[in-house]
Amino acid sequence: MLMKYQQQTLAIELLNLNAKVKIVHQETGIPIKLLRQTYHQLHGQSPSRGSIKFSTRGLTGSRRKYKDVTIFAVCFQVATAKSKEGQIQTLITDFNA
């Protein structure tokens, strides 16, 4: 029961950060249909459809964005190495910082 609560809490936290539904599903195991409904309840609109982008072009379209992404990646690696919590929680913490 506690595990299910933790999965649901993580899912809501990720959906609040506008994470892709497919990523939330992969991390929590919660059905995609339920995650889409929850996203809609949280944001008042349907989640964006389409595959997960594997290209960094959208993140690094300018020199400034490239620097921001690079700094985030380095900080994330350092935090992950020092953290005892899971990577997804580290990502949420770093994203909110």
Side-chain angles (χ1 to χ4, degrees):
M1 184 166 149
L2 184 57
M3 178 68 109
K4 188 173 183 176
Y5 171 76
Q6 289 171 331
Q7 289 173 324
Q8 291 171 344
T9 302
L10 176 59
I12 290 171
E13 192 170 3
L14 290 169
L15 292 174
N16 271 327
L17 295 173
N18 293 311
K20 286 274 198 184
V21 170
K22 186 172 182 179
I23 292 172
V24 179
H25 168 70
Q26 289 172 344
E27 282 297 320
T28 63
I30 295 173
I32 289 178
K33 185 175 180 179
L34 180 58
L35 292 172
R36 284 194 179 115
Q37 292 171 349
T38 304
Y39 186 98
H40 190 273
Q41 289 176 349
L42 290 170
H43 298 287
Q45 62 186 19
S46 297
S48 62
R49 296 220 178 232
S51 61
I52 299 170
K53 305 282 188 256
F54 290 99
S55 169
T56 59
R57 183 173 294 166
L59 296 173
T60 60
S62 70
R63 174 172 258 152
R64 171 73 178 156
K65 285 183 180 181
Y66 181 77
K67 288 179 182 179
D68 289 344
V69 169
T70 302
I71 289 171
F72 178 81
V74 170
C75 291
F76 178 74
Q77 286 178 336
V78 170
T80 302
K82 292 181 179 181
S83 176
K84 294 186 181 192
E85 59 188 19
Q87 284 188 347
I88 194 72
Q89 283 300 328
T90 303
L91 181 62
I92 291 169
T93 302
D94 291 349
F95 184 82
N96 287 327

